Amino acid sequence: MPLVSIRDELARAQAGHYGIPCFDVFDMVATEGTFLAIEDQRAPTIIAIYAGFIDRPGADVFANAIRTMASQATVPVSLILDHGASYEQCIKALTYGFTDVMFDGSQLPVEENIAITSMVVRAAHAVGASVEAELGHVGRGSDYEAFGGQRQGFTDPALAERFVAETGVDSLAVAIGTAHGVYKGTPCLDLDLLAEIRRRVDVPLVMHGGSGLSEEQFKAAIEAGITKINVATDLMLTAGAKMIETAKADDASYFGILDAARQSYRQRTAYYMDLFGATGKA
Ligand code: 13P
């Protein structure tokens, strides 16, 4: 089926209390592995392309390849721009056929975040795409002890209510104790804060920085109101380790190493689909 905006699947997941996984991919091998898992598990899934990649030569070709693969899939798949850094970047993604865009103004003054998010919402809605924004800031795991552990940058629930009302955004990424990349220290989620945000806004809530959380933390976050969960680092680390292991074999080959990465993405994305309760929901 054609790529679809994730809007409807997020609404279904929010009502059904399960999570929709969002996986960042950087190449065709990872993408192929992820599509194999999508069919294996019959899980509605979001494929994400990181904003840093959208300006590279060939980004439109990559997006087109994903669109073709989705059209051959029997399960709904969405393509989102992850962490769009500007209005212009979001528009570029929309012209490349992305079904959804994230504008990340989380490090801007809040009024500026509201202003640009509102513009992206107007443009995206005009072409049927949904928009995710971020309020509060999900930082890097390498700095975790200095911010996450100190509750720095966490989302303010009252501001979240105002932000959603003023921007008309379709989903909201919140800062509740997760971080991108590998955590220095142990991640600690503020589920009470999450529940308070959930009470105040009705759009699906998004948790970035999934890699490194425990199964219990994922389940508790979904229970407390998270609907979309982003995972990237763990997929790359696991596939990288498998490629290195495969390369050490006496009969190691180029194709063997690529297939190790493909199968690693297949297995690891399937694991998250199962864990989030998305398996079988298509
Ligand atoms: P991780 O790389 O920490 O899993 O975070 C992924 C993410 O949030 C992408 O937006």
Side-chain angles (χ1 to χ4, degrees):
M1 58 181 68
L3 277 175
V4 289
S5 166
I6 199 59
R7 191 187 276 111
D8 291 351
E9 288 300 332
L10 285 179
R12 272 197 338 126
Q14 190 176 351
H17 303 287
Y18 57 90
I20 300 280
C22 175
F23 302 119
D24 289 84
V25 293
F26 298 91
D27 60 74
M28 283 305 292
V29 171
T31 309
E32 286 163 15
T34 304
F35 267 93
L36 288 169
I38 288 170
E39 289 292 330
D40 291 343
Q41 311 306 109
R42 304 205 57 74
T45 298
I46 308 165
I47 307 267
I49 295 182
Y50 182 63
F53 275 59
I54 194 86
D55 293 325
R56 284 194 177 186
D60 53 341
V61 177
F62 189 30
N64 270 330
I66 293 172
R67 192 189 5 253
T68 302
M69 290 166 85
S71 72
Q72 291 160 0
T74 62
V75 174
V77 178
S78 308
L79 177 62
I80 193 168
L81 172 70
D82 199 22
H83 295 285
S86 65
Y87 173 77
E88 290 76 9
Q89 218 173 37
C90 292
I91 298 301
K92 191 179 211 177
L94 293 172
T95 65
Y96 287 177
F98 283 59
T99 56
D100 307 274
V101 290
M102 176 197 188
F103 170 67
D104 180 358
S106 63
Q107 288 184 287
L108 298 174
V110 68
E111 299 306 332
E112 209 175 323
N113 190 1
I114 289 175
I116 302 175
T117 300
S118 303
M119 280 165 53
V120 174
V121 167
R122 273 186 70 183
H125 284 184
V127 293
S130 85
V131 179
E132 173 184 332
E134 180 167 322
L135 186 70
H137 178 63
V138 177
R140 297 222 57 83
S142 48
D143 308 325
Y144 193 68
E145 280 152 349
F147 79 93
Q150 311 291 326
R151 303 176 49 81
Q152 291 292 316
F154 279 24
T155 304
D156 174 341
L159 200 51
E161 191 173 344
R162 188 185 140 217
F163 187 92
V164 170
E166 291 190 13
T167 59
V169 78
D170 301 282
S171 58
L172 185 68
V174 291
I176 53 162
T178 60
H180 292 106
V182 177
Y183 289 84
K184 194 163 175 207
T186 308
C188 179
L189 304 188
D190 188 338
L191 296 173
D192 292 335
L193 174 64
L194 173 57
E196 176 60 14
I197 300 167
R198 176 71 294 159
R199 268 192 292 278
R200 284 175 177 256
V201 304
D202 54 6
V203 296
L205 299 177
V206 181
M207 186 165 75
H208 283 251
S211 303
L213 300 185
S214 68
E215 294 191 350
E216 291 67 33
Q217 284 177 314
F218 280 118
K219 287 182 178 160
I222 293 169
E223 175 80 24
I226 289 292
T227 304
K228 169 178 177 274
I229 303 173
N230 285 31
V231 180
T233 302
D234 175 60
L235 305 177
M236 291 187 273
L237 290 177
T238 309
K242 288 271 195 261
M243 291 169 91
I244 291 165
E245 188 188 314
T246 306
K248 286 181 183 157
D250 288 343
D251 60 349
S253 70
Y254 173 80
F255 287 116
I257 295 167
L258 291 186
D259 199 47
R262 188 180 293 109
Q263 295 307 327
S264 173
Y265 266 82
R266 182 183 199 168
Q267 285 161 17
R268 205 65 192 150
T269 56
Y271 162 78
Y272 285 111
M273 292 166 187
D274 289 351
L275 184 60
F276 302 164
T279 294
K281 292 298 196 300

